[in-house]
Amino acid sequence: MVKKGQQSMSSSCNFLLLTIFILAFLSIAFGEQSCSETFIRLIQKRNITNCKTLRTQGAEFAWNYHYNGTNSTILDILFGARLNSPEGWIAWGVNPGKRAEMIGTKAIIGIKYSDGSLIVNTYDITKETKHGCKLLPSPIGLEVSNKSMENDAVSEFYTISARIILPKEYNITRLNHVWQLGYAIADGNQPLRHPTTLHNVDSTETINLTSSSGNSTGQYRSYLRSVHGVLNMMGWGTMLPIGVIIARYFRVYPFKFHPMWFYLHISCQVCGFLTGTAGWIIGLYLGHATRYYTFHTHRTFGILIFTLSTVQMLAFRLKPKQTDDYRKYWNMYHHFLGYGLITIIVINIFKGISIMQGGKGWKWTYFGILIILGSVTITLEIATWARFILSKLEKQKNNKGDNNKTPTS
Ligand code: HEM
Ligand code: HEM
Ligand code: HEM
C-alpha cells in the first residue's frame, strides 16, 4: 500500500510540474505583444491608434476602422517589417474565405528595387500563384486608396499603408489576414516566391480589429508546434534524465534507497515516455501536414528515440531476475542504451529548437534545465567518489589495525 502511495504521489508531482511548465510556457509564447518604439513612432505620424506585433518575421501591424453606414467598414492600415536585402517585397492582405491562408488573399504588395525606388500595388493571390504562375498587379475587388510604401531610414523599416473599404462579407471581428516578405522580384512589378520556412508559413491569423490589442486566433499549427516542443522537452529531455539520475545515485552509491529508487525510476521513465510519446505523435502529425518541407535529421532522430525507449520499456516484461545468469548482460545493455538515448535526446532537442526559430527563450529554458540536471549529477558524482574513497581508506585502516594485532609468530 505504502509503495503504491509513494509511486502515485511521485507521478502526480511529475504531472503537476509538467502542467505548470506547459501553462507558463504557452502563456509567454502566445501572449499578445505590443509594438516596438520605432513602429509606434511611425503610426503616431499617421494618427493610427491600434497596433500589434505580428508573431512572425518581425512584422508589425496597425489599424483604425470606422463603420461607413451599415454595409461597409473603412479600414486604414499600416504594415511594416525590416527588409534586409537589396531588393524584395513586403505584403499584407485580407482573405474573404473561411481560413486565413495565402490562396484567395487580396493583397497589397510593396516592392523595393535595388536602386532604392519603391512601388506599391494590389494583387490577387490564387492557387496558380502558389504553383509558380506570374503574379502581376490587378484589381482585387476592393476599393483601395492612398496606397503608399515608405522606408524609415533610421530603423530600416519598410511600411505599406492604405485605406481599404471592406464590404460586409468581411467580418472585422474575425478578419482573416495574411502577411509575407520576399527577397526576389522580376520585371514588371512582379514579386517572386518567398522562402517557406516555418516563419513564412505561420504568417496568417484571424484578428479581431475591434479589440485594441488585436486578439487573434487560427494559429493552431504553431500552437501545436509549441506543445510538441514543451512535451518533448519535459518528457524525453527532463523526466528520463531524472529517472537515470535516480537509478544511478540512489540504488547503491552514494545513497541506498531500496526499493524506493526502483519505483521512482520506473515512474519517471513511464511518465517521461508517455509525455514524450504524446509530443512525438504531434511532431509526426505536423511533419505530415505540410509537403513543402521535411526536417530529415530531426525526424530520423525522433523515430530512433521512440524506438529505443520502447525497447527500454520492454524491461517491464523482459528483465531477467537478479539471480539469473544473464542478468549482468541485461544490466549492461540497459545502461548502454539508456545513456545513448539521453545523448540523442539532448541533440534532437537542440535540433528542434533551431528548426522552431522561436527566439532565444527555448534555448535558454533547456540550457537552464540541463544546468540544473548537470549540477545535481556532478554533486552526486562527487558524493559517490568521496564515499568510495572514504570507505577504501577506512578499510585500509581496519586492515592495518588487524595486521598490527596479528601475532607475528
Ligand atoms: C510571389 C509569388 C508567391 C509564390 C510563388 C508563393 C508560394 C508559396 C508556397 C509554395 C507556399 C507553400 C508553403 C506550405 O504550404 O508549406 C506558400 C505559402 C504561403 N504564402 Fe506564398 N507565395 C507567393 C506570394 C505570397 C504572398 C504575396 C503572400 C502574402 C500576401 C503569401 C503568403 C503565404 C502564406 C501566409 C503562406 C503559408 C501557407 C498558406 O497560407 O497557404 N505568399 N507560398
Ligand atoms: C526509457 C526508459 C528507461 C531508460 C532511459 C532507463 C535508463 C537506465 C539507466 C541509464 C540505468 C543505469 C543507471 C546507472 O546505474 O548508471 C538504468 C538502471 C536500471 N533500470 Fe532503467 N531505464 C528505463 C526504463 C526502465 C524500466 C521500464 C525498468 C523496469 C521495469 C528499468 C529498470 C532498471 C533497473 C532494474 C536498473 C538497475 C540495473 C542494475 O542493477 O544495474 N528501467 N536505467
Ligand atoms: C527529443 C525530442 C523530440 C522528438 C523525438 C521530436 C520529434 C519530431 C518529429 C518526429 C517531427 C516530424 C518531422 C517531420 O516529419 O518533418 C518533429 C517536427 C518538429 N519538431 Fe520535434 N522532436 C523533439 C523535440 C523538439 C523540440 C524540443 C522542438 C522545439 C522546441 C521541436 C520542434 C519541432 C518542429 C518545429 C517541428 C516541425 C513541425 C512542422 O513540420 O510544422 N522538436 N519533431
Side-chain angles (χ1 to χ4, degrees):
M1 271 317 274
V2 176
K3 282 170 193 166
K4 266 194 184 161
Q6 283 167 341
Q7 227 175 316
S8 69
M9 232 174 79
S10 71
S11 311
S12 345
C13 274
N14 278 338
F15 272 113
L16 191 68
L17 273 177
L18 181 68
T19 317
I20 293 171
F21 188 86
I22 293 178
L23 289 179
F25 196 90
L26 293 179
S27 67
I28 294 168
F30 287 91
E32 306 286 349
Q33 275 185 346
S34 53
C35 290
S36 67
E37 273 175 32
T38 310
F39 198 62
I40 291 176
R41 186 165 46 79
L42 296 176
I43 66 172
Q44 275 167 351
K45 274 200 219 157
R46 292 178 171 78
N47 287 334
I48 296 187
T49 42
N50 307 305
C51 161
K52 80 179 276 190
T53 293
L54 300 172
R55 65 203 165 106
T56 61
Q57 310 194 67
E60 300 186 56
F61 176 60
W63 72 97
N64 267 0
Y65 70 94
H66 48 272
Y67 294 109
N68 185 24
T70 46
N71 284 336
S72 58
T73 309
I74 300 175
L75 183 65
D76 291 315
I77 62 110
L78 180 75
F79 170 81
R82 284 194 172 80
L83 203 49
N84 302 322
S85 62
E87 55 180 28
W89 52 270
I90 59 172
W92 177 88
V94 287
N95 194 321
K98 284 202 179 101
R99 293 202 300 146
E101 59 183 356
M102 169 178 151
I103 296 172
T105 295
K106 314 287 175 197
I108 301 168
I109 304 185
I111 298 183
K112 168 192 174 190
Y113 291 96
S114 48
D115 64 3
S117 58
L118 306 172
I119 187 163
V120 61
N121 268 302
T122 54
Y123 295 77
D124 221 342
I125 317 277
T126 61
K127 201 159 50 174
E128 287 70 35
T129 319
K130 197 166 191 169
H131 294 125
C133 289
K134 272 188 180 178
L135 179 63
L136 292 168
S138 67
I140 54 172
L142 295 173
E143 223 178 284
V144 182
S145 54
N146 301 348
K147 297 188 297 280
S148 74
M149 180 176 188
E150 278 169 33
N151 170 24
D152 180 52
V154 186
S155 60
E156 271 305 303
F157 226 78
Y158 285 83
T159 53
I160 43 179
S161 59
R163 166 165 287 196
I164 307 158
I165 305 210
L166 291 177
K168 68 170 186 301
E169 298 94 271
Y170 291 83
N171 176 355
I172 60 159
T173 61
R174 289 190 52 77
L175 186 70
N176 296 324
H177 79 137
V178 165
W179 60 97
Q180 198 55 266
L181 265 63
Y183 303 100
I185 51 171
D187 296 339
N189 307 344
Q190 195 197 330
L192 294 178
R193 187 180 165 152
H194 52 84
T196 47
T197 67
L198 290 180
H199 270 208
N200 296 89
V201 300
D202 275 350
S203 298
T204 71
E205 67 182 17
T206 301
I207 187 172
N208 178 359
L209 292 182
T210 61
S211 88
S212 59
S213 59
N215 292 340
S216 54
T217 53
Q219 307 140 357
Y220 88 101
R221 217 189 273 179
S222 82
Y223 184 78
L224 275 186
R225 238 176 255 134
S226 296
V227 174
H228 163 81
V230 175
L231 290 178
N232 280 310
M233 215 183 244
M234 292 308 292
W236 306 120
T238 311
M239 288 186 195
L240 288 196
I242 291 179
V244 170
I245 290 176
I246 289 166
R248 186 172 176 85
Y249 298 107
F250 295 89
R251 186 161 41 95
V252 188
Y253 254 112
F255 304 108
K256 189 170 180 174
F257 289 134
H258 192 79
M260 179 73 171
W261 80 267
F262 181 69
Y263 295 116
L264 282 175
H265 178 62
I266 53 175
S267 84
C268 278
Q269 306 315 67
V270 169
C271 280
F273 180 76
L274 294 178
T275 313
T277 303
W280 179 73
I281 292 170
I282 295 175
L284 286 184
Y285 163 76
L286 286 167
H288 182 75
T290 173
R291 60 201 167 88
Y292 287 94
Y293 51 82
T294 302
F295 303 103
H296 293 285
T297 322
H298 186 64
R299 183 190 167 86
T300 312
F301 276 20
I303 293 170
L304 199 67
I305 288 165
F306 176 74
T307 316
L308 296 184
S309 47
T310 306
V311 172
Q312 287 291 72
M313 283 295 156
L314 292 180
F316 272 119
R317 302 224 30 120
L318 301 182
K319 179 166 56 67
K321 288 199 191 89
Q322 279 293 3
T323 47
D324 285 342
D325 285 348
Y326 44 91
R327 170 66 186 241
K328 66 170 186 286
Y329 299 113
W330 181 87
N331 283 352
M332 270 160 61
Y333 123 83
H334 189 77
H335 283 217
F336 185 70
L337 204 60
Y339 286 113
L341 194 53
I342 300 295
T343 314
I344 306 174
I345 287 170
V346 173
I347 295 173
N348 213 32
I349 286 179
F350 283 112
K351 277 234 158 294
I353 291 173
S354 78
I355 294 170
M356 183 87 109
Q357 302 167 308
K360 294 203 173 88
W362 286 94
K363 208 192 267 165
W364 287 115
T365 306
Y366 197 58
F367 265 135
I369 292 175
L370 285 186
I371 288 170
I372 295 171
L373 293 176
S375 320
V376 172
T377 308
I378 291 170
T379 313
L380 289 168
E381 196 65 39
I382 293 171
T384 308
W385 282 97
R387 283 198 78 168
F388 178 70
I389 292 168
L390 279 178
S391 69
K392 269 244 149 143
L393 287 176
E394 210 147 284
K395 246 190 203 160
Q396 273 177 3
K397 220 165 130 192
N398 289 346
N399 283 349
K400 260 191 197 159
D402 287 348
N403 288 345
N404 288 345
K405 275 184 213 154
T406 318
T408 46
S409 57

